[in-house]
Amino acid sequence: ETGVTQTPRHLVMGMTNKKSLKCEQHLGHNAMYWYKQSAKKPLELMFVYSLEERVENNSVPSRFSPECPNSSHLFLHLHTLQPEDSALYLCASSQDFAAGRTDTQYFGPGTRLTVL
Amino acid sequence: GENVEQHPSTLSVQEGDSAVIKCTYSDSASNYFPWYKQELGKRPQLIIDIRSNVGEKKDQRIAVTLNKTAKHFSLHITETQPEDSAVYFCAAKQGADGLTFGKGTHLIIQP
């Protein structure tokens, strides 16, 4: 349960605020992901970082800005969000493209974001 | 891009009976298919996965089958118990991509 951690667990922000979500993995993985989980919608992939380089962003609005300073840390910077951005934001990590590749993604507990 | 369809959206079964959840995918290049269980207020947890070079995999009461030709895969839970109640998500992955998830199935185990 502590392999992937996320902070904060809950966040309430106004539409003009700037905030950041943090994810840290202690599993020695080389790939990290951001997903958005809204009510009545499937988990949506937002960003993929493999070996600290972004490989996919799925046309996510520019008000979401990811940062991956090293293989253990992943951030999601938030700016000028809309109420419809309120959701659970989940981070995940996996070990990809190496000997013993499993593809298994381990999720963090998520940050429950509310945009007022 | 990949598209994953999952059915049913809600499944209610009597305790002790079997439950089957089905998913289809669109991208024939997808080669990894995990199933996640998410209890209310908790993170998704991997329960079983299968790769495209295998047709079936079993782990105690849980099994997954994959039909590459038809591009569908299924989760089978036998001898269901109350603690199996949760939302189950199927997913598909190809190469360096992230996971594409189905919409989820709310499994309810009736006592």
Side-chain angles (χ1 to χ4, degrees), chain A residues 82-95:
Chain A
Q82 305 298 310
E84 58 264 31
D85 296 322
S86 298
L88 180 68
Y89 288 84
L90 289 158
C91 171
S93 71
S94 69
Q95 182 66 16

Side-chain angles (χ1 to χ4, degrees), chain B residues 27-99:
Chain B
D27 188 347
S28 57
S30 289
N31 56 13
Y32 175 67
F33 307 92
W35 285 88
Y36 283 84
K37 175 184 180 182
Q38 188 175 27
E39 297 177 61
L40 189 63
K42 295 192 175 181
R43 74 188 78 192
Q45 298 265 23
L46 180 75
I47 55 171
I48 196 167
D49 56 11
I50 193 167
R51 296 190 181 282
S52 57
N53 59 349
V54 175
E56 184 174 0
K57 184 176 178 181
K58 190 174 181 181
D59 182 4
Q60 299 182 343
R61 295 187 297 109
I62 295 172
V64 57
T65 58
L66 171 65
N67 183 327
K68 284 189 297 182
T69 303
K71 289 190 281 188
H72 65 71
F73 56 114
S74 301
L75 176 71
H76 304 253
I77 305 174
T78 59
E79 300 172 18
T80 53
Q81 301 169 2
E83 53 265 36
D84 294 330
S85 293
V87 179
Y88 291 80
F89 294 95
C90 63
K93 182 177 186 290
Q94 186 269 120
D97 294 351
L99 291 169

